[in-house]
Amino acid sequence: MDNEILKKIQQSELYILTAFDRVCKEHGLTYFLDSGTALGAVRHAGFIPWDDDVDVGMPRKDYETLMRLGQDVFPSNLFLQNKDTEPSYKRNCAKLRLEGTFFQEVEDSTYIHNGMYIDIFPFDNLPSNKLLAHINVYYSRILNFILRSWRINERSHSVILNLVRRFVDMMSIERIAKLEKYYLNFCRKREKKETHYSTCYFWRMTQSKNRLFENNRMFPTKDIEFNGQSVQIMNDPDYYLTKMYGNYWELPPEDKRTWHLKGKVSFA
């Protein structure tokens, strides 16, 4: 990707992140930098130099509160995208998008709102028993696998996913909606309970590895600098990043440095 384009993308995403942070602080909501964004904050004090993406996580109860607060708490040039605000949106997480811009991912090609964005992921509590926690993640993986085969508009490289998609295509919209509702209720089952572990059921990463995080290592969150802005990160980022990436201080080879942009991009 062209460095000037990447720089503009990062500037737009930093603006969105700063606005998101301000809203969370005003309403007493907990969040933390997630995935590569957390890695960038610790290793680079900001964006990973080749990254074009911002991810944040929220405990489920805070995530749901933010969704209820809705559009009105954000500046008018930001759009809180979820299944309620845009019917064609099929993800189980939210995006906060910058209006007047365009950033196309493959799966986002049918949306009305396709601006620069940050991803907002809900983290759900798991059973405190580790074995039961793993079982919950595996069960979630099966449900998400079925629903994901419905969400994807184009053919997948996975033969199994394409076979599942053919089966799911025969299901009525009503049955899909019931399955979605069942899945969401399953994920939110321990929303108001204090448990030992939590995870994000909707990550692609969770679909390949069981990511169980100890809540007492994740919370309370704390301040960290990100491109000159003070934002929030989990309480023990070394624990989190080691669990996610192993030796996270070692830079990946250049051919492994990927980005999310899959199509057109334009700026306000």
Side-chain angles (χ1 to χ4, degrees):
M1 186 188 299
D2 180 89
N3 285 336
E4 285 301 313
I5 291 176
L6 179 58
K7 184 176 180 181
K8 287 182 179 180
I9 291 172
Q10 291 177 344
Q11 289 173 340
S12 297
E13 291 172 345
L14 183 62
Y15 168 78
I16 302 169
L17 176 61
T18 303
F20 171 81
D21 171 81
R22 183 167 57 249
V23 166
C24 287
K25 287 176 179 174
E26 287 174 354
H27 294 274
L29 301 178
T30 296
Y31 83 92
F32 50 89
L33 300 184
D34 193 14
S35 304
T37 313
L39 174 58
V42 172
R43 195 170 67 191
H44 304 277
F47 284 97
I48 295 173
W50 55 88
D51 196 12
D52 63 351
D53 180 55
V54 168
D55 295 321
V56 297
M58 303 184 78
R60 170 66 72 175
K61 61 183 179 61
D62 296 276
Y63 175 88
E64 295 296 340
T65 298
L66 181 65
M67 296 305 108
R68 286 194 295 270
L69 289 170
Q71 188 66 44
D72 292 343
V73 297
F74 291 103
S76 59
N77 64 339
L78 295 181
F79 178 74
L80 182 61
Q81 187 179 46
N82 56 40
K83 292 178 181 179
D84 293 327
T85 61
E86 182 158 347
S88 63
Y89 187 74
K90 298 176 181 179
R91 298 177 183 233
N92 285 306
C93 60
K95 291 179 183 286
L96 186 60
R97 292 189 180 269
L98 178 60
E99 300 283 55
T101 64
F102 190 86
F103 185 101
Q104 187 176 19
E105 289 186 291
V106 171
E107 293 178 36
D108 295 346
S109 57
T110 61
Y111 299 155
I112 296 171
H113 298 269
N114 287 285
M116 305 288 175
Y117 66 88
I118 68 171
D119 278 314
I120 309 170
F121 291 102
F123 274 63
D124 288 295
N125 285 331
L126 293 164
S128 293
N129 179 284
K130 195 170 186 178
L131 176 60
L132 291 178
H134 279 293
I135 291 172
N136 269 249
V137 173
Y138 277 119
Y139 183 55
S140 164
R141 187 176 297 172
I142 294 169
L143 295 174
N144 194 55
F145 185 80
I146 294 171
L147 291 170
R148 179 171 168 74
S149 70
W150 172 73
R151 295 185 197 113
I152 297 175
N153 295 318
E154 69 286 338
R155 284 182 60 82
S156 169
H157 294 299
S158 167
V159 174
I160 296 176
L161 193 59
N162 285 325
L163 289 174
V164 173
R165 178 176 171 79
R166 291 182 63 181
F167 168 74
V168 173
D169 282 344
M170 294 186 289
M171 297 174 65
S172 66
I173 295 296
E174 290 77 15
R175 285 193 174 184
I176 289 290
K178 286 182 179 179
L179 184 59
E180 286 269 358
K181 184 177 181 180
Y182 170 79
Y183 185 34
L184 181 60
N185 288 337
F186 166 77
C187 295
R188 295 180 62 176
K189 187 175 181 180
R190 296 169 183 84
E191 179 180 342
K192 297 180 180 180
K193 296 180 180 179
E194 291 187 10
T195 67
H196 188 64
Y197 298 107
S198 61
T199 193
C200 181
Y201 285 119
F202 310 123
W203 270 344
R204 287 190 182 181
M205 288 175 287
T206 307
Q207 302 310 305
S208 59
K209 293 183 180 180
N210 281 13
R211 307 286 189 181
L212 308 184
F213 301 102
E214 297 176 17
N215 284 329
N216 62 359
R217 307 287 287 273
M218 299 291 285
F219 308 106
T221 59
K222 62 184 182 182
D223 295 336
I224 194 169
E225 181 180 340
F226 189 88
N227 276 58
Q229 301 293 323
S230 177
V231 292
Q232 295 293 294
I233 199 166
M234 64 283 303
N235 188 267
D236 189 347
D238 179 69
Y239 158 81
Y240 171 86
L241 293 173
T242 300
K243 201 173 185 67
M244 289 286 288
Y245 304 109
N247 180 12
Y248 60 89
W249 290 104
E250 182 178 348
L251 298 180
E254 290 191 15
D255 62 343
K256 300 294 184 182
R257 301 176 186 182
T258 60
W259 47 82
H260 292 73
L261 180 65
K262 302 298 182 183
K264 298 177 182 179
V265 59
S266 63
F267 304 92

